[in-house]
Amino acid sequence: MTDHHTPSNSSPLPLTTSPFDDDKFHDECGVFGVYNTPEASTHAVLGLHSLQHRGQEAAGIVSFHEGQFYSHKSLGHVADNFNTQPVISSLPGNSAIGHVRYSTSGGAGLRNVQPLFADLASGGFAVAHNGNLTNALTLRKQLVQKGAIFQSTSDSEVVIHLIATSTYLNLQDKFIDAMRRIEGAFAFVALAEDCLIGARDPLGVRPLVLGKLHDDSYIFASETCALDIIGADYIRDVEPGEVVTISEKGLESTKPFPSVSPRPCIFEHVYFSRPDSLTSGTSVYKVRKNIGRELAKECQLNADLVVPVPDSGVPAAIGYAQEAGIPFELGIIRNHYVGRTFIEPSDTIRHLGVKLKHNANRGELDGKIVVLIDDSIVRGTTSVKIVDMVRQAGAKEVHMYIASPPTTDPCYYGVDTPDKEKLLASNMTIDEMAEHIGADSLKFISIDGLYRAVGEDNRNKECPQYCDACFSGEYPTPLTDNNASDADKQFSLLTDSRA
């Protein structure tokens, strides 16, 4: 296998991750796969570019050409590391898979950048994973005790070892055997010498879509926006519990798992997915506007302006303004060029930091009663600064309305979230939260209102239609590693750390 690594961003300035985004759930990861098309790696680069919002720490691509696998992995953004013809030329072939990463399980570092590759007895095999395995540490301990040697601290590598040690004969069966042993949430794309595989966990927590570029060229991607950028047609979502194999035989589908009621992540509708994507065939943008409308029905106020916290609050704010009959204005302007900064995050810079990313539009806010619309509150740190900034711009009253229920519990399914004790809603009442962030009032959409916005009558309390554990604390899979013994947790500290 030919393997190329770019150790860091090539900018001459010392870049650090922005210290001004600590009040959001960090996006999980994005996966992309393409089969049987010329310039597969070019398509993969474009697909990953459109999925950049799902993971901004690192990116990687593995391609296959004439019996040989080729790889390029880098820390940093896709555009910074896959932007030259020599890089693209180093990834020849008609099939490729790619991954953009924000570290959840396993932590940062080049050795954890995906896709992961291994030479197995049945041939070369590369895999990229979106999600998190809730029994990865337990399986890892078992594998290490049997002599397995791990090259990374990513939970995804467990799958490689499970495939390598499976007693089934062909690679597809080995892959399915491995899928049956893991718990948690996953969307996999995998590349072998003769096929491309896409797989989704039985609950469908993490998204994966299937597209078509031409008659015999297929695409897997985390979101439909990655199909749009290369002109591919959206066929359908990969179904929960489905394994799709694409080869010279065409498309083959199997469902090797026991049938269960799907529980896709509802936060895809709230924040993670790009608004121009489809989730379960439904426009994310329209759903977010619906969330704003439901929020207006539940939380009415005689205000002068509806102002979104950009950019994620914009569609919900439009829906709220339309339903409430209150003017929508861009009362906060976002600087789109601040994601990473060369400025060291000292206390002084942290205090000023929100103004690097957002600035109040004083001409619209002065003397007004303002409804601020945001998608969520996690720690509350940014909300404090936003409310204060709007007040300093002359707003008469500032009311913060949130387009999701209170975030009370961490996610264990591939989203980097704070521990429960650091989540504002798990430690304060809503009135206490309002006082903490300095708002005149604070309102959240109800969980039933959120379900109505995505097209359900209400939340089915006996068997919820979505994974909403971050709002309800009801986790749809076993949390095997989280409930491990103290000795096993000590092992986890040595082998796998959260970023």
Side-chain angles (χ1 to χ4, degrees):
M1 180 186 184
T2 302
D3 206 347
H4 300 279
H5 298 301
T6 303
S8 63
N9 191 297
S10 58
S11 168
L13 295 172
L15 296 174
T16 70
T17 301
S18 172
F20 317 125
D21 284 327
D22 63 349
D23 199 23
K24 295 289 184 185
F25 279 178
H26 288 292
D27 303 343
E28 326 116 60
C29 296
V31 297
F32 185 89
V34 55
Y35 179 83
N36 194 32
T37 185
E39 300 182 305
S41 59
T42 300
H43 287 105
V45 170
L46 292 170
L48 293 182
H49 182 75
S50 65
L51 297 173
Q52 186 74 86
H53 60 288
R54 299 187 73 90
Q56 300 181 47
E57 177 190 280
I61 292 174
V62 171
S63 69
F64 178 75
H65 179 62
E66 295 183 351
Q68 177 73 37
F69 287 86
Y70 299 84
S71 172
H72 185 87
K73 302 180 185 182
S74 304
L75 300 179
H77 289 183
V78 175
D80 294 330
N81 296 299
F82 291 87
N83 58 357
T84 66
Q85 190 56 45
V87 171
I88 303 299
S89 298
S90 73
L91 296 165
N94 290 342
S95 298
I97 63 172
H99 187 269
V100 287
R101 183 173 195 267
Y102 184 90
S103 62
T104 54
S105 182
L110 191 59
R111 66 175 176 162
N112 289 323
V113 179
Q114 298 185 33
L116 301 179
F117 175 84
D119 275 311
L120 307 177
S122 50
F125 188 77
V127 64
H129 171 210
N130 171 26
N132 213 51
L133 308 183
T134 56
N135 67 335
L137 299 179
T138 301
L139 290 172
R140 184 186 184 101
K141 182 179 180 181
Q142 295 170 0
L143 289 163
V144 168
Q145 289 172 340
K146 292 178 180 179
I149 300 173
F150 281 77
Q151 301 299 313
S152 76
T153 57
S154 169
D155 63 341
S156 309
E157 192 181 355
V158 168
V159 175
I160 294 282
H161 287 274
L162 291 176
I163 294 169
T165 56
S166 172
T167 57
Y168 283 81
L169 296 179
N170 69 62
L171 188 57
Q172 288 89 336
D173 288 340
K174 289 175 180 287
F175 180 79
I176 290 171
D177 184 35
M179 297 299 97
R180 287 183 173 135
R181 294 188 59 187
I182 59 180
E183 299 169 356
F186 58 83
F188 283 107
V189 293
L191 182 64
E193 295 179 6
D194 59 351
C195 66
L196 177 70
I197 302 172
R200 200 170 172 202
D201 66 78
L203 293 172
V205 178
R206 299 269 69 88
L208 190 65
V209 300
L210 176 66
K212 201 169 190 179
L213 195 56
H214 48 74
D215 287 344
D216 53 357
S217 176
Y218 290 90
I219 311 289
F220 291 118
S222 291
E223 293 185 38
T224 61
C225 63
L227 304 178
D228 297 336
I229 197 172
I230 61 172
D233 294 324
Y234 167 67
I235 298 176
R236 61 177 176 85
D237 284 22
V238 174
E239 296 180 18
E242 184 181 19
V243 177
V244 179
T245 302
I246 302 167
S247 67
E248 291 182 351
K249 300 176 184 178
L251 188 151
E252 298 175 281
S253 170
T254 183
K255 288 190 172 180
F257 306 101
S259 179
V260 294
S261 297
R263 297 280 296 274
C265 172
I266 201 166
F267 216 82
E268 291 285 345
H269 291 289
V270 174
Y271 178 70
F272 292 138
S273 293
R274 254 176 47 172
D276 53 331
S277 283
L278 303 176
T279 296
S280 301
T282 303
S283 165
V284 174
Y285 180 77
K286 289 182 179 179
V287 168
R288 288 180 187 167
K289 286 178 65 179
N290 289 343
I291 293 173
R293 292 190 180 99
E294 289 293 334
L295 184 60
K297 292 174 184 177
E298 294 182 350
C299 308
Q300 299 179 9
L301 183 71
N302 185 18
D304 299 312
L305 297 177
V306 175
V307 173
V309 177
D311 286 325
S312 55
V314 171
I318 292 173
Y320 187 98
Q322 290 174 347
E323 181 67 29
I326 300 172
F328 170 95
E329 296 291 350
L330 296 179
I332 301 171
I333 306 301
R334 181 183 173 189
N335 178 0
H336 287 265
Y337 301 96
V338 94
R340 289 156 65 93
T341 176
F342 62 89
I343 301 174
E344 290 297 324
S346 65
D347 289 342
T348 301
I349 296 301
R350 284 184 184 276
H351 180 70
L352 298 175
V354 71
K355 292 187 177 180
L356 287 177
K357 186 173 182 180
H358 298 114
N359 193 41
N361 187 356
R362 181 177 292 273
E364 294 296 331
L365 299 173
D366 194 21
K368 304 293 177 59
I369 298 174
V370 177
V371 177
L372 288 175
I373 306 289
D374 205 355
D375 61 271
S376 60
I377 293 179
V378 181
R379 293 180 174 91
T381 50
T382 299
S383 299
V384 170
K385 297 169 186 176
I386 290 288
V387 170
D388 180 65
M389 182 176 65
V390 173
R391 284 201 191 280
Q392 293 299 321
K396 183 179 178 181
E397 295 178 16
V398 183
H399 301 266
M400 179 74 87
Y401 285 12
I402 305 300
S404 61
T407 302
T408 56
D409 293 86
C411 176
Y412 295 101
Y413 300 121
V415 182
D416 190 41
T417 56
D419 295 332
K420 186 175 177 68
E421 59 268 18
K422 295 180 181 178
L423 295 169
L424 201 65
S426 70
N427 295 286
M428 295 183 182
T429 66
I430 292 177
D431 287 343
E432 289 170 341
M433 292 173 68
E435 183 177 359
H436 176 78
I437 68 173
D440 290 282
S441 70
L442 174 64
K443 305 289 185 182
F444 294 83
I445 192 172
S446 69
I447 197 161
D448 281 336
L450 179 58
Y451 271 75
R452 289 192 293 271
V454 299
E456 304 290 345
D457 292 334
N458 280 298
R459 180 180 188 265
N460 185 332
K461 294 179 175 59
E462 299 300 320
C463 183
Q465 304 93 315
Y466 287 86
C467 177
D468 55 26
C470 52
F471 307 133
S472 66
E474 298 176 15
Y475 296 97
T477 73
L479 302 179
T480 301
D481 292 338
N482 196 53
N483 298 322
S485 67
D486 290 341
D488 286 341
K489 288 179 179 178
Q490 183 63 32
F491 174 83
S492 73
L493 292 174
L494 296 174
T495 61
D496 202 52
S497 58
R498 185 166 293 271

